[in-house]
Amino acid sequence: MQTENTRTGALSPLEAAQSTFETALHHLNEPTQLAFFKNVFGALLLSFGGIFALIVSQGSPGLEETNPGLPKMLMGATFPVGLVLIYFVGAELFTGYPMWLAMLAFSRRGRPIQYLRALVIPWLGNLAGALLVSSVFSVATQTLTPEPYKSGIISLITSTVIHAKWHVILLKAIGCGYLVTLAMFVGSQNQDGISKALGLHLPFFISTAIEFPHTVEYMYLGSLAMMLGAEMSVWMFFWKCLLPVTLGNIIGGALFTGAYLWWVYLYCEDGERAKDWLLSDGQQDM
């Protein structure tokens, strides 16, 4: 369908929701090895964005005392560079899958085993990529081992994970799941490069600046802090860092973005046109 928004280079919300649904169908049937390596590559890019963000935000420790909001703003402004690159090269992150799977589940598409595979394989691929960057490109290269970066990273994880309560981490992660999937949706709405980059960047900027944890971000930051000497065991890394962040991101992405897009644009708004599309274009991709 042609709309004014389409002719000016942007999809309407309805068209973007339909495009997101088509992407979900694709990922549901994606070969396992392809899904794994696309998520390894996605984690590499996001983690390299993490290196950049840590260099910028932790390089002036005096700022934390005189202007504690500025390092958070610097972190928020730089970390999303990785997400923009991921979208431009066609890599993936685990945090997008809850949105896609929620839209499919409400439309009664796919089988439970497909849903399980679509969560586990990307998560493992992201973990592999994040560990590679933290161990090889952050520690072995000594990029982040000198001061003030070392103590700054340890302090960051100590405050956001080690000393934080489990349920607080979970609640913050729900907010991140919502914001990062919103970034993906807004990015898919815009067709030109600059608008797409801004759409991807701004919601993730908010999430990172207010320290709402992202699964892949904390796969990288948590493992890096452990290697630098943070008082966090492997058990704590999985139980108190990755588990609440992963669950929170799933809840936020599935309910706050996936369910919303399905309900508003594929079920309620312009109902007959959306239902016709679900039975025609959407069905052809199965």
Side-chain angles (χ1 to χ4, degrees), residues 89-160:
V89 303
E92 298 294 349
L93 291 176
F94 164 82
T95 42
Y97 288 81
M99 171 183 65
W100 296 322
L101 295 179
M103 296 180 73
L104 293 172
F106 284 116
S107 301
R108 300 180 181 179
R109 301 296 180 87
R111 302 184 303 276
I113 188 64
Q114 290 178 293
Y115 284 67
L116 181 62
R117 184 182 67 88
L119 288 174
V120 172
I121 298 303
W123 194 91
L124 292 175
N126 285 167
L127 180 62
L131 291 176
L132 178 62
V133 176
S134 61
S135 60
V136 176
F137 297 107
S138 302
V139 175
T141 61
Q142 299 183 350
T143 302
L144 294 174
T145 54
E147 295 293 352
Y149 305 111
K150 178 179 177 179
S151 58
I153 294 165
I154 293 174
S155 176
L156 174 65
I157 290 300
T158 299
S159 63
T160 59

Side-chain angles (χ1 to χ4, degrees), residues 152-174:
I153 294 165
I154 293 174
S155 176
L156 174 65
I157 290 300
T158 299
S159 63
T160 59
V161 176
I162 297 175
H163 290 168
K165 295 181 179 180
W166 200 95
H167 73 277
V168 173
I169 300 172
L170 174 69
L171 292 174
K172 288 184 175 182
I174 292 174

Side-chain angles (χ1 to χ4, degrees), residues 26-40:
H26 167 74
H27 285 300
L28 193 67
N29 299 289
E30 194 171 38
T32 299
Q33 66 274 19
L34 180 61
F36 179 79
F37 283 110
K38 286 174 72 173
N39 278 275
V40 170

